[in-house]
Amino acid sequence: MEALHPGFTASTSFCLLLLLLLPTADANICSAEPQVNFPENNTVGAVVLVINITSGVTLEFKTPVSPDNPFILEENRLLAAKVLDYETKTTHVINIICNRMATSEEFPLTIVVVLVNINDNLPLFGQVQYRVNLNEMTPVGTTVGRFTATELDGQKISYSLAPQSKGFKLKSQTNPDLLVEMPLDYEKVQTVELTLTAVEAPLDDVSFSATTTILISILDGDNRPPWFQPCGKHEVDGAVVCQNDGYTGRVTLNEEEAGALPLDPGPLYAIDGDSGIGAEVTYKFLNGDADGLFHLDTRSGNITMLKPADVLGTISLTVLAAQTTNSYQFATTSVTFSVQKKSLHPPKFQRPRYEGVVTGVGAMATELNATGEPLRILATDDDYAPLEGINPHISYSVNGGSDFVIVGGYLFMTKVYPEGLLTLQLRAVDTSNKEEALAELLLEVTSGLTTTSLPLSTTNTTPSTESMATEEVSTSDPTASTSISLSTASTANPSMTVVASGAFGLVDMAALGATLGVLLLICLAVIVALAVRVRKADANGRKIFEASVFQSSLGQGGQKGGIQFTNEAFQHDEDGDSLGSGRPAAGYQGGGVASGNLPVKSSVPLRSLPRGDDDDDADDNGSDSGDSEGKDVKPILTKERRVDDGYKSVWFKEDIDPDAKDEVVIIPVREEEEDEDEEEPLSSGKEENEGPWVRTQRVAFNDADLDSGLGVKMEDPGDDSDV
């Protein structure tokens, strides 16, 4: 050491070694973790930390000690002297001194206690209930308010609103701003109560929630004009419109009425359409006061007369009603006065008392003392003397209800009544001036057949004891204090059930159904028959069409552009002018056709007339001579050719054998308008042999398609025809 550093002595080296070893010795006196995590909401006396100390070492807090120190030392343990709260203070710094009494050694310790947060706090709203006033005209999307909840543990909070159909919504789940979702209407909803819920995010699987109430009072906005009363409400695109049909009144010609004029359906007045505001309304004429005839009170709306009306007719006025606080809110209506002559005579019934009988619902009442004679109810008005007292403005009714109706002066019952006597009151009102007349009606209700309905029927025909009962029925009409006295004869048998006249039962419905079913079957049968006939007509039409095509394919010639085919087998019969002969009638001359003598048209188109023998190849003269020998000819209509002697066959075109080279006669179709004028019986030819027959051409068929018209050879008859 001295060799290395001459200034160091042995004592210096010892002191230096002692200084180096001294901290190590103090460090061994006590030791502890510099930072400790300790949960909040602990129990008092809970151990926070155990400090490691050596023998003879004591622990104490470094002075000065804070009076709020929440810890205590017990031997080598640090204990919690109170319940710690993370939300109050999150960390605590503790300074401790380790003392060794024997050597007076001290060693300081600094310990940091960090509190662990536990989810022990609920979300909290600032108020249990919030109250908000909101005008109904607030635009959609406007923020009503912000309603935030706090959470001391620092957890995130989500919000929800209930119910979700009250016209409001939250801006988002994490933003508690309340927005207007749809237009508000004070007349529909005045208050809205909402419940706002706040839920914190879970912490250690623990979550809490809180709720509050938002009470919104909707205030009425000035968005509606005055409404004349009475009026009918209509909603158009969300806006409510109250329509008034106007007012009517009557004044007397050349008379000035005192006071407010009565109007129908009531006095003229208007209310503010915004019931929550109820602004005052003022009135004035919009198109004049009929040249100073009327006066309108601007406050009450009453109309009075300033002078008499001197012209018959109607007077139309327009009244404007406007709010005093907002003249832009106004409405108009019409007031029509009818100027009439003064009524000198009120209506009056022809009888003070009417007596009648009615047999059931829908039946016309008849006279009580004249069987079968209708009960005629009539009130006359002497003001209409030129019309025999018939006032067209009089309407009739029965006071006390709608169980009876008067139509054209005749009484009908509309409700089932038990048999008995009814005392009613008749009323006749002149609708032009509201004058009226009253009369008494004594009506007897009996059971029996009616002219418009079935009789009353019961389910029990057992005789029962009859009891008389009287019932007083008061009318609900405030303008008349009339009572209906019912004197009834009702059966005491409770099992009797009265069936209203005119009702249809199961039997009636079954009969109706059966009738409809039969009619349906008849209709189906008629439709089927018509369809069959149409089908047959179509088939005949096709045949006629085929015949027309065949005739056209043979070329043009002869009368009407047609071609005549002559079967020589029919030309030389003795009965030349008969239907069965192809021979010309007597008086035939070659050449043109005489006027009025035309060949008879066949009713069936395109029929061929073959010779009697398919194999007969003889010449024309031989054929004619054979016919003239007087064979017994038996005409027959068939589809099969007959080759027997004595027969002549007629068959259809499709049956003609082209190889047979038969000769046929085709009578041309004439115009429809000439049919009736030109057709005559062939028998007349026997009596009038004036005109010549048409000379027909001979046609032979080659081996070709007959339908196409090819292979047809036409020849003049030559000498083999009887001319």
Side-chain angles (χ1 to χ4, degrees), residues 625-693:
S625 62
D627 290 341
S628 63
E629 293 176 0
K631 290 184 179 181
D632 187 12
V633 179
K634 298 179 181 180
I636 186 171
L637 179 64
T638 178
K639 289 187 177 182
E640 299 178 359
R641 297 187 60 182
R642 301 290 299 273
V643 298
D644 300 339
D645 292 340
Y647 284 91
K648 291 184 179 181
S649 299
V650 179
W651 62 93
F652 298 105
K653 183 190 72 172
E654 56 267 24
D655 297 329
I656 297 176
D657 186 4
D659 297 334
K661 298 183 180 179
D662 295 321
E663 296 178 286
V664 298
V665 175
I666 295 180
I667 301 174
V669 179
R670 306 174 67 96
E671 297 295 334
E672 293 182 359
E673 62 269 12
E674 300 176 0
D675 290 345
E676 296 181 0
D677 298 332
E678 297 180 359
E679 287 184 0
E680 295 181 355
L682 292 179
S683 60
S684 63
K686 297 179 180 180
E687 300 175 2
E688 301 177 14
N689 297 324
E690 298 177 358
W693 282 72

Side-chain angles (χ1 to χ4, degrees), residues 502-551:
F504 295 100
L506 294 177
V507 177
D508 301 327
M509 300 306 294
L512 178 62
T515 303
L516 293 177
V518 172
L519 292 176
L520 180 60
L521 291 177
I522 293 174
C523 293
L524 291 176
V526 171
I527 292 173
V528 171
L530 292 176
V532 171
R533 294 194 62 179
V534 170
R535 190 181 186 110
K536 290 182 178 180
D538 292 341
N540 294 334
R542 286 195 298 271
K543 291 180 180 179
I544 294 174
F545 175 74
E546 292 175 357
S548 177
V549 172
F550 175 71
Q551 180 179 1

Side-chain angles (χ1 to χ4, degrees), residues 462-578:
T462 305
S464 60
T465 304
E466 294 186 356
S467 62
M468 301 301 295
T470 301
E471 179 182 0
E472 293 291 330
V473 182
S474 299
T475 179
S476 60
D477 188 355
T479 63
S481 58
T482 307
S483 63
I484 299 175
S485 176
L486 288 179
S487 178
T488 63
S490 61
T491 61
N493 190 345
S495 62
M496 180 175 291
T497 303
V498 178
V499 179
S501 300
F504 295 100
L506 294 177
V507 177
D508 301 327
M509 300 306 294
L512 178 62
T515 303
L516 293 177
V518 172
L519 292 176
L520 180 60
L521 291 177
I522 293 174
C523 293
L524 291 176
V526 171
I527 292 173
V528 171
L530 292 176
V532 171
R533 294 194 62 179
V534 170
R535 190 181 186 110
K536 290 182 178 180
D538 292 341
N540 294 334
R542 286 195 298 271
K543 291 180 180 179
I544 294 174
F545 175 74
E546 292 175 357
S548 177
V549 172
F550 175 71
Q551 180 179 1
S552 300
S553 65
L554 295 178
Q556 302 295 330
Q559 291 182 347
K560 302 294 181 180
I563 300 177
Q564 294 183 346
F565 295 84
T566 302
N567 190 340
E568 295 178 351
F570 295 91
Q571 288 186 355
H572 302 288
D573 289 344
E574 278 78 358
D575 191 8
D577 57 349
S578 65

Side-chain angles (χ1 to χ4, degrees), residues 285-318:
F285 285 126
L286 193 61
N287 63 339
D289 54 2
D291 296 330
L293 184 61
F294 299 100
H295 173 264
L296 176 63
D297 191 301
T298 59
R299 296 294 180 181
S300 64
N302 291 332
I303 300 177
T304 57
M305 294 188 70
L306 299 178
K307 62 182 181 179
D310 55 1
V311 178
L312 290 174
T314 58
I315 301 174
S316 298
L317 304 173
T318 302

